[in-house]
Amino acid sequence: MSCAFLLRSLHTRTINTPSPARSFYTHRIEKPANQLRLDDGSILTLRKAPSPLAKNIVAGADADATASAVLDALTSSNQSSKHTAANAPIVLPPRLRRAYPQRSILTEAQIHECRQLRESDPDTWTVSQLAKRYNTFPGFILSIAPCPAERKAFLREQREREFERLPISKKVTAIDRMRRKMLW
């Protein structure tokens, strides 16, 4: 093969490249969409109505009425109002996490009772049990009613007994973890 043949074949070969209209980020965008230029110069793209499944996502409101009100506000032919879409009701998706309950502030009498319960029977009245009873945070219970000294000693002895029952490999791992934690 001659060098000229190779050069000619390289110049005539076409390289397949993706079209600029479709890329990784735009492959799911629907092409036929109505666009409306707003007064501020931005473009509002009107897409087809959401599926009935998407309408059921709206929590605490009439889904059909809310969705139709939003669509009517967006597609209305009355262009005299500048804020047509701003007057539409806001439809938010459901919460991903449940809302935290409102915590109560303890009175002096409740704090005193909490300390007495914790001191009298720390096995029954744990931090989590007291936090549930008084509807407050466990950290607050720890700050007002710390663990009694004899309970701390019992828990320390229990941890030592559990450590002695571990195989040597797990003991080495636990000691290494403690050494790393001391370096923090």
Side-chain angles (χ1 to χ4, degrees):
M1 293 181 122
S2 69
C3 190
F5 174 75
L6 289 174
L7 288 175
R8 249 184 293 138
S9 66
L10 286 176
H11 287 295
T12 59
R13 187 177 298 168
T14 59
I15 300 172
N16 293 333
T17 58
S19 66
R22 294 176 63 84
S23 70
F24 177 77
Y25 299 103
T26 61
H27 75 280
R28 289 190 177 193
I29 294 179
E30 302 164 4
K31 294 298 176 188
N34 298 330
Q35 293 184 343
L36 176 67
R37 185 167 294 279
L38 300 176
D39 294 336
D40 63 349
S42 61
I43 297 175
L44 174 67
T45 304
L46 302 174
R47 305 215 182 270
K48 63 183 177 182
S51 66
L53 180 63
K55 287 182 182 179
N56 292 337
I57 292 177
V58 179
D62 186 11
D64 294 329
T66 307
S68 63
V70 170
L71 289 174
D72 290 342
L74 290 176
T75 58
S76 67
S77 60
N78 183 8
Q79 298 297 329
S80 62
S81 175
K82 289 185 179 181
H83 306 290
T84 306
N87 295 334
I90 298 174
V91 180
L92 298 175
R95 294 180 64 97
L96 293 177
R97 298 179 184 173
R98 59 189 173 103
Y100 290 113
Q102 184 69 28
R103 301 295 184 160
S104 61
I105 298 173
L106 300 183
T107 62
E108 287 298 323
Q110 289 175 325
I111 291 174
H112 182 68
E113 182 186 9
C114 179
R115 285 180 180 149
Q116 283 181 341
L117 289 172
R118 182 85 167 137
E119 193 68 35
S120 66
D121 190 8
D123 292 330
T124 304
W125 296 108
T126 61
V127 172
S128 60
Q129 289 296 323
L130 289 170
K132 285 178 188 174
R133 177 179 175 144
Y134 293 107
N135 191 24
T136 188
F137 296 103
F140 181 70
I141 298 293
L142 276 173
S143 67
I144 63 169
C147 187
E150 56 273 359
R151 171 81 174 158
K152 278 185 184 178
F154 171 74
L155 291 175
R156 188 179 316 113
E157 290 171 6
Q158 186 178 10
R159 279 194 306 266
E160 288 172 0
R161 281 193 305 259
E162 288 174 4
F163 183 79
E164 293 301 321
R165 281 188 252 138
L166 291 176
I168 190 69
S169 61
K170 295 205 184 243
K171 286 181 185 178
V172 168
T173 304
I175 291 171
D176 287 344
R177 188 181 305 120
M178 285 185 252
R179 287 180 183 157
R180 282 195 307 268
K181 195 168 184 177
M182 288 174 53
L183 295 174
W184 284 359

